[in-house]
């Protein structure tokens, strides 16, 4: 099941307190970017954020999971999207630990 555009837009609005949130469509789902940095995915109408020590400190009981079949790295599964203040704090705390993606050269 692919992510609906309405759900993706809802997530973007809920995360906006963290900074500039943009989404990039990827294989029926969405990549989530904070100030241009890839921080997570929206897959099957579920938000997944990259694991960080700071994120775990703020959400010690957070569930982890693979966002799609074939994923090699687990992500935090973010179920509660209602507390926008907390979501902003969570992403801002996690951001310094998440590396910028290296650009792959085009052939």
């Amino acid at each position: 099941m692919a992510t609906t555009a309405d759900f993706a837009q809802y997530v973007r609005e809920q995360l906006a307190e963290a900074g500039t949130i943009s989404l990039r469509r990827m294989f029926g789902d969405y990549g989530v970017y904070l100030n241009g940095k890839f921080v997570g995915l929206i897959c099957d109408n579920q938000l997944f954020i990259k694991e960080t020590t700071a994120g775990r400190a703020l959400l010690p009981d957070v569930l982890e999971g693979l966002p799609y079949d074939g994923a090699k790295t687990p992500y935090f599964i973010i179920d509660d999207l209602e507390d926008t203040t907390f979501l902003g704090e969570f992403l801002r705390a996690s951001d310094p630990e998440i590396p910028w993606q290296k650009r792959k050269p085009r052939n």
Side-chain angles (χ1 to χ4, degrees):
M1 174 179 125
T3 297
T4 64
D6 288 341
F7 183 78
Q9 194 60 28
Y10 169 72
V11 170
R12 190 181 73 70
E13 291 166 4
Q14 296 303 99
L15 299 179
E17 218 170 286
T20 302
I21 300 293
S22 57
L23 304 175
R24 184 172 297 155
R25 192 127 165 93
M26 303 172 148
F27 309 106
D29 292 308
Y30 294 83
V32 179
Y33 294 80
L34 171 60
N35 300 324
K37 183 191 296 185
F38 178 77
V39 295
L41 296 160
I42 305 170
C43 297
D44 297 329
N45 286 344
Q46 177 68 59
L47 176 61
F48 296 86
I49 299 295
K50 286 187 170 192
E51 291 184 347
T52 63
T53 303
R56 178 148 331 269
L58 289 171
L59 282 174
D61 297 326
V62 67
L63 295 176
E64 300 173 18
L66 299 174
Y68 56 90
D69 290 337
K72 296 179 176 113
T73 307
Y75 285 65
F76 293 144
I77 300 171
I78 308 300
D79 287 324
D80 183 4
L81 298 173
E82 295 303 312
D83 188 347
T84 59
T85 301
F86 176 77
L87 289 171
E89 177 185 344
F90 176 79
L91 280 179
R92 285 189 304 274
S94 297
D95 182 52
E97 291 182 50
I98 298 173
W100 285 91
Q101 285 186 315
K102 295 182 176 120
R103 295 225 182 242
K104 295 179 182 176
R106 292 188 177 202
N107 292 335

